[in-house]
Every structure is written in structure tokens, then in C-alpha cells.
Amino acid sequence: MDRVLVVTGGSRGIGAEVARLGAEQGYKVCVNYARNKAAAQDVVKTIRDNGGEAMMAHADVAEEADAKAMFRLVDQELGPVTALVNNAGIIDQTGRVADMTAERINRILAVNVTGSFLCAREATLRMSKEHGGPGGAIVNVSSAAARLGSPGEFVDYAASKGAMDTFTIGLAKELAAEGIRVNAVRPGLIDTEIHAAAGDAERVERFRTAVPMQRVGSAAEVAEAVLWLLSDSASYVTGSFIDVAGGR
Ligand code: NAP
């Protein structure tokens, strides 16, 4: 049976590494993106150049119609999804809660939380044995911020990741008897472009010494944990978390 992997936010950073490693491990991969088409094209090209099968799909995961359309496209081009990585995530400028607008908070929750729910729903409808599917696996990309709270930086983002953790526990229990495992990884300080999006490209270097291992992690190191959780090697693992955070 074909193994079909959907990676939300697969165009850059952690998602791009998950897409590439997944293809290497034999998945047909859907690389989702929101704005950066060229980056998604690059990931798809790399996979194809290495002999893998991949497609790209534009969808803002926070938009219900987009999420539904993406999974329908995957049905047509690769076959029904068997593995989902809810990786798409956003942050905003560093700041204090006292200065946060409703618009900012709502957008972060919409992409990070609602988007993960919507994609998990579409995947469940195709993977669940209750719905005639073969079973499957979901990995949510949470954050160490869910444990740390990110005071003075982005408590809204940290809280959205806390919601993803609770979502992981609940969905894992809800789907355990239907052949779907649901787990999460909590990356720590990982070297990607998300820090520049927070208006603080130097953040990675500044916080490096707060990490017990005294270094930042790479997107590839996070991807290894994600692919293990998706794999049959993790067949009795559900509702679990792997911290990929250098001891933080
Ligand atoms: P990144 O380099 O900024 O990449 C984010 C990805 O998400 C891009 O592919 C982006 O696509 C996509 N995306 C953003 N909004 C989207 C939307 N509405 N719909 C669909 N795709 C969307 O970020 P990253 O560092 O790799 O982060 C990936 C995940 O890891 C996030 O959930 C993040 O919270 C989590 N994480 C990261 C770190 C870290 O230190 N880097 C630590 C802990 C957790 P476009 O460019 O096309 O918009």
C-alpha cells in the first residue's frame, strides 16, 4: 500500500526537512505552503531529483475550504493520506501580553490550533478504520514554548502550542481504537527563518547559552524524531511527546 505523507508548511524550515526525509523513507509527499511558492517548488524538485514522488499544494491551513481542497487534491494526485504532520505555524513580533491585539492573538490561534484541527479532521476521515480507511499516524509540531510560556516574547504563541499538546492527548485517545496514532514533537531553539519573522534574527545566537547542550538544533534533527513517530517502529506509541530541545 502507498504511504502518503502530508506536511503542512512543508516549504521551509522544519517542514521542508520532514518532507525531504519522508520522501527518502519512501513516502509520497505533499508539500503544503501558504505564501512561498518558490520554496515549495524547490522542495518538490529536490525530492523528484532524488527519485521520490512529491506534489505541492497551496492552502492556508486556517481556512476550512483550503484545507478540504488540499486533501481532495492529494486524493487525486497521490492517493489518500496515511500520515499527517501538522507543522505549519506562525509567530509574531516579540512583545508583552499587555500590547497584544485581538487580531494578532486570533491569527496565531487560527493557524497553529484551528489549522491543526482542520487538517487532522480531513486526515481522520481518510485514515480511520471507522471510516473504512487503513489507519495511519499524525504528528503535531508543538514547541518547548508550551512548557516554558515565553514571557515577554510571545505568550500567545506559547499558549497556542499548549493547546496543541492538549489536542494531541485528546485526539490520540479518541482515535486509538481506530488505527490512528497521534503524537507530538516539541522542538526547542531550532535554526530556521521563524526567528526573523519575530523581528529578532539574532535570537538564536542570544539564547544559545540557555540550552543545556549549548547549541541550537537543526531542522533535520527535528525531522528525525517526527519520522520515527510516524514509523512502525513507534507502533505502540500514542499520545506521547518527544522534546527535541537540547535538554531545555
Ligand atoms: P518557518 O521556517 O517560519 O516555516 C514555517 C512554514 O509554515 C513555512 O513553510 C510556511 O509556508 C508555513 N506556513 C505559515 N503559515 C501557514 C499557513 N497559514 N498555512 C500553511 N502553511 C503555513 O518555521 P519553522 O521554524 O520551520 O517552524 C515549523 C514549526 O515548528 C512551527 O509550527 C513552529 O511553531 C515549530 N517550532 C519551531 C521552532 C524553531 O525554533 N524554529 C521551535 C519550536 C517549534 P509559507 O512560507 O509558504 O507561508
Side-chain angles (χ1 to χ4, degrees), residues 83-107:
L84 166 68
V85 179
N86 273 321
N87 165 80
I90 57 165
I91 210 160
D92 207 320
Q93 301 280 302
T94 297
R96 292 170 57 85
V97 172
D99 299 319
M100 288 177 189
T101 62
E103 188 185 1
R104 165 190 166 129
I105 297 163
N106 287 338
R107 180 63 186 159

Side-chain angles (χ1 to χ4, degrees), residues 8-15 32-37 39 59-62 86-90 107 111-112 141-145 157 161 164 186-195 197 203 219:
T8 68
S11 53
R12 295 187 291 113
I14 293 168
N32 158 250
Y33 70 100
R35 286 170 306 273
N36 201 328
K37 187 174 183 181
D60 176 345
V61 293
N86 273 321
N87 165 80
I90 57 165
R107 180 63 186 159
V111 174
N112 299 2
V141 181
S142 172
S143 172
Y157 168 84
K161 296 301 184 176
M164 282 183 80
R186 282 190 293 230
L189 197 61
I190 308 299
D191 191 10
T192 71
E193 292 164 354
I194 204 170
H195 307 286
R203 184 172 181 270

